Each structure stands twice: as structure tokens, then as C-alpha cells.
Amino acid sequence: MRRNVNVSLLDGEDGGVGPGDWVLIHVGFALSKVDEEEAQATLELLRGMGSDFEEAIEELKESVIG
């Protein structure tokens, strides 16, 4: 999934973030950098929580953050 995200909160943290990095996003802001394994594990956890979250994941995929 690709979207525009404000990464200014992570400036200076371990060299900041760049294209291809995985980040934890909340309300359009990158809060922390995570590795791909952690990102995939989190996604699997959310998928396993049930159909209510599957709908939320689909809505997230269709959302646009600018």
C-alpha cells in the first residue's frame, strides 16, 4: 500500500525514514520505524481479529491521506 504520510516526527531518529521503510502510522503521521517482519506480524494480528477489522483494513486500503 502506498500513501503520503507526514514523517517529520521521525526526522533525526536513526537517520530518519525513506522510501521502502516500514512505519507505524496513526492519523497520517509516522510514529515509529518498524522492520518488515514486525509490520507483517501486525497485519496478520489485525486480520486474525475478525471480520470487523477486515472491513476496517479494506477501508484503510481505499483511503487517501494527503
Side-chain angles (χ1 to χ4, degrees):
M1 172 179 322
R2 291 179 186 223
R3 62 184 55 224
N4 291 324
V5 173
N6 185 320
V7 296
S8 62
L9 295 174
L10 299 179
D11 283 350
E13 180 182 301
D14 297 327
V17 295
D21 287 336
W22 293 85
V23 294
L24 175 64
I25 302 167
H26 181 65
V27 294
F29 290 88
L31 300 178
S32 64
K33 192 189 270 190
V34 296
D35 62 29
E36 184 174 359
E37 184 178 325
E38 183 178 353
Q40 293 296 337
T42 301
L43 184 56
E44 289 304 313
L45 175 68
L46 290 173
R47 286 186 174 137
M49 292 177 122
S51 62
D52 291 340
F53 286 97
E54 287 183 28
E55 183 178 325
I57 289 171
E58 289 304 314
E59 290 173 3
L60 179 63
K61 287 179 184 176
E62 296 170 5
S63 70
V64 176
I65 297 175

